[in-house]
Amino acid sequence: MAQTTPNHTQTVSGWAAHDSSGKITPYVFKRRANGVNDLTIEIFYCGICHTDLHYARNDWGITMYPVVPGHEITGVITKIGSNVRGFKVGDRVGVGCLAASCLECEFCKSSQENYCDQTQFTYNGIFWDGSITYGGYSKFLVADHRYVVHIPDNLPLDAAAPLLCAGITVYSPMKDNKMLESPGKKLGIIGLGGLGHIAVKFGKAFGLHVTIISTSPSKEKEAKQRLGADDFIVSTHPKQMEAKKRTLDFILDTASANHSLGNYLELLKVNGTLVVVGAPDKPMELPSFPLIFGKRTIKGSILGGMKETQEMMDVCGQRNIKSDIEVVKTDQINQALDRLSRNDVRYRFVIDIAGKSAKM
Ligand code: NAP
Ligand code: ZN
């Protein structure tokens, strides 16, 4: 049994990694009783983010084992606390990466909870009561309602799940850098994976010219035909990179593995911006010349605030934006993680936690 605190009275079945092999096995643990501000959610689906793999394998050296990954969670409310407004039993809801924040700092007050310095995550975090958080690879979740969003009726719960992390992580920097109000501008996306493919969809929905910058030539045809990307550059092909120098206004870097930023920066116009959202475990190489000769900017970005997450969900509902998914059963989680580590997914695995997919 996992470390627990006295009010952790509910027994839940889930799946955890126990060491840096990252192997996932069934795991029974306790969750807190539903508090006054809480919702209990029966989990239907949970996306497999590359972050889950980083944590399961302790890539960043910060994993507290056993870890129950999963922060792209969708399901239905089964219990509601007495202080909760705006949700009712039976509502279709989603939970992303945030489990708690201080609620008092300038960032919490302006719904940028993702930048609060006391933010705790849905798994591998320490909740307000001192307990370790466990994520969505489990049958149900108790979540503070301030970190829960509604899922629009027209979005299926499986293909909506990845929006809770991958979706908001790309939407937020695109909005923050005014790309969503600048049709015709040229967006580059490094890495056509879970985050990258949703970025293509937002880019096209908001009228941008979208270029994918990929290490995988095999993804080109589908990226153009199915996702509607306008251009595709193979980043390991020096001639292709050379030909596209100074063509892009903005680049979103979603690459999960180590890479040097120099050649990518050269693709930006003068004054262009590159936002890093991918989180490789080693420092990225940053040569000064491409930065200074193009007066270019590099920034980072993590997730999005809760208001913005609901806004992103509503935009996806209105424009019918969902993730391209491969649904897997709970006994296929290890296979899916292995395939994700080999860059073999189009474009997001989603675990059918409740066994609902056959019935929906
Ligand atoms: P993913 O599905 O595995 O996609 C990552 C993509 O990166 C791959 O599909 C691949 O695309 C590309 N790539 C892999 N190795 C590369 C290399 N050496 N150089 C350049 N590109 C490479 O992963 P994901 O779930 O989208 O997550 C991506 C990263 O974002 C992870 O590090 C994750 O932890 C991080 N993340 C950050 C936030 C945040 O808030 N900042 C939120 C969620 C996830 P190609 O085959 O097209 O090259
Ligand atoms: Zn994630």
Side-chain angles (χ1 to χ4, degrees), residues 48-55 60 71-72 97 114-115 165-166 168-170 189-197 212-219 232-233 235-236 253-260 264 276-281 300-304 339-348:
I48 299 185
C49 179
H50 204 111
T51 299
D52 299 351
L53 192 62
H54 289 308
Y55 273 110
W60 298 326
H71 56 210
E72 295 184 336
C97 304
N114 47 324
Y115 293 108
C165 173
I168 186 61
T169 298
V170 298
I189 298 162
I190 303 175
L192 187 58
L195 269 57
H197 92 285
I212 293 165
I213 309 148
S214 173
T215 59
S216 307
S218 62
K219 293 181 181 174
F232 192 97
I233 307 174
S235 54
T236 49
D253 179 356
T254 78
S256 53
N258 298 325
H259 56 289
S260 168
Y264 294 116
V276 175
V277 290
D281 54 0
S301 182
I302 187 163
L303 310 170
R339 280 184 51 198
L340 178 62
S341 73
R342 283 185 269 113
N343 198 2
D344 173 22
V345 53
R346 300 283 197 279
Y347 288 95
R348 197 54 133 195

Side-chain angles (χ1 to χ4, degrees), residues 83-222:
N83 285 351
V84 175
R85 301 286 173 268
F87 292 94
K88 58 183 188 324
V89 169
D91 281 358
R92 303 160 82 244
V93 290
V95 175
C97 304
L98 302 180
S101 60
C102 83
L103 301 173
E104 282 168 4
C105 70
E106 59 174 303
F107 301 105
C108 285
K109 284 191 171 146
S110 56
S111 196
Q112 300 177 76
E113 301 87 349
N114 47 324
Y115 293 108
C116 168
D117 69 358
Q118 291 174 47
T119 286
Q120 293 301 331
F121 294 123
T122 300
Y123 65 86
N124 206 68
I126 311 280
F127 195 64
W128 287 316
D129 65 5
S131 64
I132 292 175
T133 56
Y134 296 111
Y137 294 12
S138 60
K139 290 287 183 182
F140 69 88
L141 179 74
V142 180
D144 187 292
H145 72 288
R146 286 165 286 213
Y147 308 94
V148 180
V149 296
H150 289 280
I151 312 264
D153 286 341
N154 60 318
L155 294 182
L157 289 181
D158 53 2
L163 300 173
L164 274 314
C165 173
I168 186 61
T169 298
V170 298
Y171 180 88
S172 181
M174 285 171 74
K175 183 175 179 196
D176 192 41
N177 289 277
K178 309 208 178 319
M179 291 302 282
L180 301 183
E181 52 192 82
S182 312
K185 281 218 169 175
K186 296 202 160 181
L187 166 71
I189 298 162
I190 303 175
L192 187 58
L195 269 57
H197 92 285
I198 299 181
V200 179
K201 295 188 181 204
F202 283 129
K204 291 318 296 173
F206 286 88
L208 300 173
H209 180 281
V210 177
T211 298
I212 293 165
I213 309 148
S214 173
T215 59
S216 307
S218 62
K219 293 181 181 174
E220 175 165 4
K221 195 169 164 206
E222 197 183 81

Side-chain angles (χ1 to χ4, degrees), residues 179-336:
M179 291 302 282
L180 301 183
E181 52 192 82
S182 312
K185 281 218 169 175
K186 296 202 160 181
L187 166 71
I189 298 162
I190 303 175
L192 187 58
L195 269 57
H197 92 285
I198 299 181
V200 179
K201 295 188 181 204
F202 283 129
K204 291 318 296 173
F206 286 88
L208 300 173
H209 180 281
V210 177
T211 298
I212 293 165
I213 309 148
S214 173
T215 59
S216 307
S218 62
K219 293 181 181 174
E220 175 165 4
K221 195 169 164 206
E222 197 183 81
K224 286 182 173 164
Q225 286 175 0
R226 197 166 100 197
L227 297 174
D230 300 286
D231 205 353
F232 192 97
I233 307 174
V234 179
S235 54
T236 49
H237 200 300
K239 274 196 185 143
Q240 286 190 24
M241 291 290 276
E242 181 71 29
K244 299 292 160 128
K245 273 187 174 178
R246 293 195 172 211
T247 60
L248 304 175
D249 294 290
F250 180 79
I251 294 178
L252 206 51
D253 179 356
T254 78
S256 53
N258 298 325
H259 56 289
S260 168
L261 291 172
N263 291 338
Y264 294 116
L265 283 172
E266 299 275 17
L267 300 174
L268 285 172
K269 296 177 184 171
V270 173
N271 262 324
T273 299
L274 181 147
V275 174
V276 175
V277 290
D281 54 0
K282 300 261 176 359
M284 286 182 280
E285 197 188 20
L286 174 57
S288 59
F289 277 20
L291 201 57
I292 62 183
F293 276 91
K295 210 211 299 180
R296 297 171 175 117
T297 303
I298 298 185
K299 296 179 178 181
S301 182
I302 187 163
L303 310 170
M306 291 315 302
K307 249 194 206 156
E308 194 173 47
T309 305
Q310 184 65 65
E311 172 189 304
M312 180 265 330
M313 269 295 169
D314 295 341
V315 165
C316 289
Q318 286 149 18
R319 297 172 184 248
N320 203 26
I321 295 173
K322 19 186 198 198
S323 177
D324 289 9
I325 57 169
E326 187 175 330
V327 177
V328 295
K329 298 199 174 87
T330 52
D331 60 4
Q332 297 172 314
I333 297 174
N334 288 309
Q335 251 171 292

